[in-house]
Amino acid sequence: MQYRTERDTIGEIQVEADKMWGAQTQRSVQNFEIGTERMPHEVVMAFAELKKATAKANHKLGKLSEAKMKAVELAANEVIEGKWNDHFPLVVWQTGSGTQSNMNMNEVLARRGNEILAEQNSEEKLHPNDDVNMSQSSNDTYPTAMHVAGVLAVTEKLVPAVQKLKATLDEKAKQFDEVIKIGRTHLQDATPLTLGQEISGWKHMLEKSERMIRESVEHMRELAIGGTAVGTGINADPTFGPSVAEFISEAVGTPFTSAENKFHALTSHDEMVYTHGAVKALAADAMKIANDVRWLASGPRSGIGEITIPANEPGSSIMPGKVNPTQSEALTMVAAQVMGNDATIGFSASQGNFELNVFKPVIAYNFLQSVRLLTDSLISFNDHCAVGIEANLDVIQNHVSNSLMLVTALNPHIGYEKAAAIAKQAHKDGTTLKESAVNSGHLTADQFDEWVKPENMVGKK
């Protein structure tokens, strides 16, 4: 292995010769050998967009030459294209402001930018701090990258995934709109509804979660850039933050603004807490939908069995022919992870001390993991389960005809007490509801047929 010597204010350090990073990144690699969780790819990409925008803003202010600006821009574009993915090795468990990740990007862009300048026969040289980090601090760049990464992940990945499953459930609700089934409350038989109505509830959950997520993410469009070290904007022009936000918006195709109060932007991450709360609400709905699906599909002969779902893979290494609701299991595990992430994010965001919160990397990691996992699992659940849901009409009809809760339709005619007695007697004797009703003497068989009609009990006129 060949090495080169890099230097920073601490002194000299050896770096593998083929690595694009410099001294501060190398110190982080050596000083934080903690876990396997790497800085999220989304944050790295957001940092590249940010550095490209800051170079343009500094050039606009006359602080950075055109040659240096273009070199940073070209190098950043290569990072965004994935050319240097292996050169961002840092773990989440590092300095709580994300300083090393900021410097990792500065060092890679400076080194690659200098190669570009040399290829152009330019005598200028980029410095990772003086040029690539000009007008910035890790304290305002990392929260800016957090917000950019979070907004893009939510709007470009999670929301479309929600919409895809929502569209499938809308189709299923219409497909099964006339299929009358027995309802269940408290895990006990209840009055009828249609399978379409039941699925429409799932669809509306996703619809409402999507609206809440869309609303909440708007608060993350405010960026901390321009606040520099403590929020005062020292070493940055007052127009720098708004200019960077404008360049980022133009590059990624969605609007961002400079935060109104940079003192808040550096020390508080309530926007991410709020948005992740909406993401957690989606996870709660996903948990309910997935659980309903696996309960309704339970069986095939000893469960509820009112719907069938696709058989995607063998379900047991010992029981031949067994098929399990694996997509529901995956989605509910993801929901559990998201709920745990929410606790971490909330606690971490509460730990801002004076002018800085130093739990930024763990907030970003958990937020983006939640969005990524929910995106992937919702798409998987849709493609491998929801689209294949079918009604098991024989089982549904048998459950409806045998249900004692149809007795509810008798309440207006004979009263609650007499109706309850009929249901209890039918259950005790193992007879049908109709037999018990006629035997009670409170109504005739014809009256029972006239009053107890499941199709009139589902709220459809």
Side-chain angles (χ1 to χ4, degrees), residues 7-275:
R7 297 171 181 81
D8 59 13
T9 56
I10 299 294
E12 295 184 346
I13 191 169
Q14 297 298 298
V15 177
E16 291 179 22
D18 63 341
K19 304 305 184 187
M20 297 295 291
W21 64 72
Q24 292 195 48
T25 302
Q26 186 63 35
R27 294 192 193 283
S28 186
V29 169
Q30 295 176 192
N31 292 337
F32 298 98
E33 295 181 286
I34 305 172
T36 59
E37 294 82 7
R38 303 289 172 181
M39 190 58 58
H41 179 72
E42 298 93 334
V43 171
V44 174
M45 295 297 103
F47 255 119
E49 291 288 0
L50 171 60
K51 296 299 177 177
K52 184 167 62 171
T54 57
K56 290 182 177 180
N58 280 318
H59 173 65
K60 181 180 177 182
L61 288 166
K63 293 185 173 184
L64 194 68
S65 71
E66 183 172 0
K68 286 185 175 181
M69 180 269 289
K70 287 185 177 293
V72 172
E73 181 181 17
L74 289 171
N77 284 336
E78 290 181 353
V79 170
I80 293 165
E81 292 163 6
K83 185 174 181 179
W84 305 110
N85 284 348
D86 293 340
H87 299 266
F88 297 93
L90 301 189
V91 296
V92 171
W93 321 109
Q94 56 167 275
T95 301
S97 60
T99 297
Q100 282 89 39
S101 282
N102 179 43
M103 286 308 303
N104 187 185
M105 182 61 67
N106 291 336
E107 289 174 345
V108 170
L109 294 184
R111 186 170 184 81
R112 177 57 188 145
N114 284 331
E115 291 178 350
I116 292 170
L117 288 169
E119 291 165 3
Q120 297 171 348
N121 297 316
S122 172
E123 294 183 358
E124 296 194 78
K125 283 200 73 174
L126 286 165
H127 188 280
N129 294 83
D130 295 338
D131 296 313
V132 186
N133 201 60
M134 181 185 290
S135 308
Q136 304 153 62
S137 163
S138 299
N139 296 352
D140 67 346
T141 58
Y142 195 92
T144 295
M146 287 169 64
H147 277 209
V148 172
V151 169
L152 294 179
V154 167
T155 59
E156 295 183 358
K157 303 293 184 181
L158 182 57
V159 168
V162 173
Q163 292 173 331
K164 185 175 188 180
L165 180 56
K166 183 178 68 175
T168 295
L169 295 180
D170 186 49
E171 289 179 12
K172 293 296 177 180
K174 293 172 182 174
Q175 179 182 350
F176 303 129
D177 187 47
E178 301 299 325
V179 178
I180 298 172
K181 67 181 292 288
I182 202 64
R184 294 176 181 85
T185 60
H186 304 270
L187 298 182
Q188 304 295 307
D189 297 349
T191 56
L193 76 167
T194 72
L195 181 56
Q197 288 172 326
E198 189 167 42
I199 294 176
S200 76
W202 304 345
K203 176 234 175 182
H204 193 72
M205 288 177 187
L206 298 181
E207 201 168 65
K208 196 144 194 182
S209 288
E210 180 189 344
R211 287 203 302 269
M212 290 190 292
I213 290 170
R214 283 182 178 275
E215 186 277 326
S216 64
V217 82
E218 291 303 305
H219 299 277
M220 287 179 59
R221 296 184 183 276
E222 290 191 9
L223 304 181
I225 194 68
T228 64
V230 297
T232 60
I234 188 172
N235 293 344
D237 187 278
T239 65
F240 177 73
S243 181
V244 172
E246 185 178 333
F247 282 123
I248 292 175
S249 302
E250 183 182 309
V252 302
T254 193
F256 291 93
T257 60
S258 180
E260 179 182 354
N261 188 302
K262 302 299 193 301
F263 305 104
H264 166 270
L266 270 59
T267 197
S268 172
H269 295 300
D270 47 16
E271 303 98 335
M272 297 195 84
V273 173
Y274 182 41
T275 302

